[in-house]
């Protein structure tokens, strides 16, 4: 994971959290090591959230007979109930 230029290795099954400034695009890249040992990017984009929101980036194993990439990523924003913060 490369978030705002900060590289972090994220083992399978583990979570990772970082604060995101409201109203500002934050860049994120997700990569995986291929069979040859090279790092391949599987997702590149940005995270944007407003005040009162949180963002989840889920990285998961691609399924199917012959997927183009081993992993996929989805970015999901959701409202946060202020009483539950």
């Amino acid at each position: 994971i490369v978030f705002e230029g900060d590289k972090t290795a994220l083992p399978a099954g583990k979570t990772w959290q970082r604060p995101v400034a409201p109203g500002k695009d934050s860049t994120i890249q997700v990569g995986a090591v291929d069979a040859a040992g090279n790092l391949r990017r599987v997702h590149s984009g940005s995270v944007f959230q407003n005040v009162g929101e949180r963002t989840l980036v889920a990285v998961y194993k691609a399924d199917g007979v012959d997927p183009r990439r081993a992993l996929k990523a989805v970015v999901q924003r959701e409202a946060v109930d202020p009483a539950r913060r």
Side-chain angles (χ1 to χ4, degrees), residues 4-59:
E4 288 293 297
D6 180 31
K7 296 179 184 179
T8 302
L10 184 62
K14 299 296 180 183
T15 62
W16 175 75
Q17 295 182 9
R18 287 292 181 265
V20 176
K24 178 184 176 274
D25 279 323
S26 300
T27 59
I28 186 167
Q29 295 179 7
V30 178
V33 179
D34 64 12
N38 300 316
L39 185 63
R40 298 199 47 142
R41 184 174 44 218
V42 296
H43 177 80
S44 181
S46 64
V47 173
F48 180 88
Q49 65 188 34
N50 295 312
V51 174
E53 291 182 338
R54 66 178 165 211
T55 304
L56 170 71
V57 179
V59 180

